[in-house]
Amino acid sequence: MMALADLCVFVRNAAAMDQTNQDNSNSAGIFDDIVCTIKATTRHDVVYAEAVNCAALAGQALSNMVTGNKVLRHMLLENELSKSNNLSSNTIYWHLLASTSNKVIIAGLVLILNSLKGDPGITRMFCLSQAGRALAALIGERFGENEDDEAEEKTLLYAILCVIIESGCFELILTDELIPSTCGFLDALAVYCNNNSDPVVYNRVATNGLLQTIYLIFESCSNNLSRIFQNTSGAESGIPDDSVDMQTVMVVHHALGSAISIIGSITTDMTPALVARISKGDLVQQTTALLGLLSKNLPRIEKASVRINDPQINSSMDSVTRLFMFKRDLIRIIGNLAYKNSVAQDQMREYDGLALVLDHMRIDENHPFIKEYAVVALRNLLEGNDANQEYVRRMGAIEAVQDSRMTSAGFHTRIDADGRPLIERDQHKHEQQ
């Protein structure tokens, strides 16, 4: 085994950025030997430490052989992903990624990255295969585990995801199942958007496939939340009783958080094409419906400290509180969708989104800055929209916006001629001070 490892090191070093050596190794049959070595050694990496080392070195050698060599890259993927060999357990990608050794997994990820980089055709072929779906699941698992984890494995997964997105292929590995790996994959997409703050990037990510996935997740979460709330005891408390499946609560929480995160990112600065794409879908209706559902079943908590300190309800309170906090994020999305978008503005009014925003223009100690989010959302809903401005006037928005703490602090609120809520200093009180 040690001699085989030494040979892999030799091939790895000889093939590094040297196309002549790469081609010669293929002509001599070394390319196929390396593939067989990977499959053979990964079968024994649990038992033999030498097998782990040899598998990792063979993976590195194969990666160097295909880097910069389009012919060998195509040959490798066509051989591994052919119809007769498309069982995921038969491919070198599965052998490398399913290893118990982080060193071997990293070698597999480097191989995939070097195989896909700069070649949209190969990337598409890979994403259509079982190997592509296995990679998507791995991305979802790693990004769903720990957002702050900066391990090498996660860095490589993110680099591969960037290649897949920029090749226009990420829809091919996207699923709409309400499972942790789907949520983690959406988290990874949100990280990509946040790292590349550009309307062009948001438009690239917000494909019809992604939006459809978001719609399905929102719908599934709404149905699950309705069942959760139906089983709660005490209409005023909104705290689940023992009949509530807390595992379901956690899954819904993760799914909602991931879906809201990616929607919040892509709606931050939208291109006209993205505005039109979203306006044709059900996002506005589903966002307002979710906000209404949470507002109805999870009302403001006046004395949160009492509940948190109560040992009888402490175990349930944690999950419910995290669900409750999504109200602020949904209001943010409403504001993003309504910004200079007359279609979304009208849809918000029709689906009671405008009324919900007005209802949240009060300070709530359990939702820091929810009132400020609502003020921004209201401004975007009213800007240039006469129907919404008239609706607010009829709702008595001045009273909804006013708050005793603001008045005592020397401020007052009014809506100007364009229907925008303004917070102004009370000059008379200011002069007295």
Side-chain angles (χ1 to χ4, degrees), residues 54-65:
C54 192
L57 291 172
Q60 294 168 10
L62 190 61
S63 177
N64 284 357
M65 292 172 75

Side-chain angles (χ1 to χ4, degrees), residues 269-280:
D269 191 0
M270 296 186 287
T271 63
L274 180 53
V275 170
R277 196 179 308 144
I278 288 179
S279 297
K280 292 178 181 178

Side-chain angles (χ1 to χ4, degrees), residues 78-216:
E78 287 172 359
N79 289 343
E80 291 296 312
L81 306 180
S82 62
K83 291 182 179 179
S84 60
N85 195 36
N86 202 24
L87 291 174
S88 59
S89 59
N90 287 339
T91 67
I92 55 169
Y93 309 109
W94 183 87
H95 282 275
L96 291 167
L97 298 184
S99 172
T100 57
S101 166
N102 183 258
K103 185 177 180 180
V104 175
I105 293 173
I106 287 175
L109 293 175
V110 172
L111 172 62
I112 293 173
L113 179 61
N114 290 339
S115 297
L116 304 186
K117 194 162 47 179
D119 197 325
I122 283 183
T123 303
R124 181 176 180 81
M125 184 192 306
F126 180 85
C127 290
L128 285 169
S129 71
Q130 293 279 5
R133 287 184 281 278
L135 176 71
L138 186 60
I139 291 173
E141 290 169 9
R142 295 297 183 266
F143 276 82
E145 289 174 353
N146 185 356
E147 293 182 1
D148 299 324
D149 182 17
E150 296 295 338
E152 184 179 1
E153 182 180 332
K154 192 170 179 180
T155 301
L156 285 168
L157 285 168
Y158 178 74
I160 295 171
L161 178 64
C162 291
V163 171
I164 292 174
I165 292 174
E166 288 156 16
S167 298
C169 299
F170 84 90
E171 274 188 302
L172 301 175
I173 56 175
L174 183 65
T175 67
D176 55 24
E177 295 180 85
L178 200 63
I179 55 177
S181 61
T182 301
C183 303
F185 192 85
L186 293 178
D187 291 337
L189 291 177
V191 170
Y192 177 81
C193 290
N194 294 334
N195 290 344
N196 300 274
S197 301
D198 189 314
V200 176
V201 170
Y202 303 150
N203 187 60
R204 181 190 300 145
V205 172
T207 61
N208 288 326
L210 175 66
L211 293 176
Q212 185 61 33
T213 297
I214 298 297
Y215 301 155
L216 292 172

